[in-house]
Amino acid sequence: MDTEELFYPEISAVLGGYMLNKGVEVEVYSDQDSYFDWAKVRFTPQFQANISVGDKEPGQILLGYNGVLDTVFEGYVAPGGYNGGGYKDEIVLKDKMLLLEETTISNTFLDATPQEVISYCLAQAGVTEAKLSDTIYQPRAVVPIAQKNVISVIKEIGTIWGIKNRFFFSGGVFYWGEKPEQEKTYSFEYGVNIISLDKPLGLWELETVSAPFVKHSHKISVTHPKVSGEFEVKKVVFRTNETGFIRTYISF
């Protein structure tokens, strides 16, 4: 079993033309039950007067160790730009689902499967990487879509065909009824890398150090007096502050 040495956590926030390795606080939320991943970046006084970022500019947040960083968020500055969030000196970002939210579809699909309709919509939104379920569904003779954004179209597909597939972006790739491949199953152990483990709202919440390699829908191994076994990750939250103090909260 491989072991990751979790010392000297590092952070990088890329916003438009800026790359910041200090002086920022970040929060990243990735939830299996939410279409969007989203993030917040707050600036310390040294940067507040010097940052200029507009709507839809690209944003990326990376966390890691010893010069090896994983992308924990990739998307765009949400409408409102700088100071558009709930706090002053804060930028709110949404992942690539923003492209689907802002793309309107009006089309009549003939003799089409769900995958064909979704592929068309993704192309209209400029999304080039996708993994769609290979389940075979009966084509529908006519599927009329009038002035709906792509998220609404995908929901309607679920209603028409009776499908309850989750859909989301991970690593910049759109998934519908599929999950990202997982190369490793990471282990969290009592007295080793678990800071706390509680069950506040029906799910277990595990607090650990910066763990950027864990994504929602991944499997993790937990060894703890309260609960042990292999579990599917439902939600991951990353929080840092300007001093580099980083914590990861994993719900399962």
Side-chain angles (χ1 to χ4, degrees), residues 165-241:
N165 285 345
R166 286 194 173 98
F167 59 94
F168 56 89
F169 280 91
S170 182
V173 179
F174 177 82
Y175 292 87
W176 179 77
E178 293 287 335
K179 297 178 182 178
E181 293 183 8
Q182 182 176 349
E183 296 180 358
K184 299 179 181 179
T185 299
Y186 290 95
S187 298
F188 297 89
E189 300 180 25
Y190 176 74
V192 178
N193 56 0
I194 295 178
I195 296 172
S196 67
L197 181 64
D198 295 297
K199 197 174 185 181
L201 297 171
L203 292 175
W204 288 103
E205 183 180 80
L206 183 155
E207 180 184 357
T208 186
V209 294
S210 179
F213 33 78
V214 176
K215 316 291 184 184
H216 83 59
S217 301
H218 276 186
K219 298 285 188 180
I220 59 170
S221 176
V222 178
T223 304
H224 192 279
K226 292 182 180 179
V227 62
S228 293
E230 189 171 277
F231 304 94
E232 184 176 75
V233 175
K234 302 296 184 183
K235 180 171 70 171
V236 185
V237 177
F238 302 95
R239 291 194 182 100
T240 76
N241 63 22

Side-chain angles (χ1 to χ4, degrees), residues 96-161:
K96 285 189 173 181
M97 200 66 74
L98 184 66
L99 300 178
L100 276 58
E101 184 181 51
E102 295 186 346
T103 300
T104 300
I105 302 296
S106 288
N107 198 6
T108 299
F109 299 90
L110 303 177
D111 195 29
T113 64
Q115 290 91 335
E116 289 170 338
V117 177
I118 292 172
S119 294
Y120 172 87
C121 293
L122 294 177
Q124 296 301 302
V127 175
T128 58
E129 295 184 86
K131 293 187 178 181
L132 309 182
S133 170
D134 59 5
T135 301
I136 297 174
Y137 298 99
Q138 188 70 25
R140 294 297 172 105
V142 181
V143 181
I145 301 295
Q147 292 295 311
K148 291 189 175 184
N149 69 30
V150 177
I151 294 174
S152 296
V153 174
I154 296 172
K155 290 179 181 179
E156 183 160 337
I157 286 170
T159 300
I160 293 170
W161 271 273

Side-chain angles (χ1 to χ4, degrees), residues 53-80:
V53 180
D55 292 359
K56 295 291 291 293
E57 289 202 58
Q60 194 175 26
I61 296 172
L62 304 96
L63 302 174
Y65 296 90
N66 303 317
V68 180
L69 280 73
D70 287 82
T71 300
V72 296
F73 178 87
E74 182 178 358
Y76 303 93
V77 176

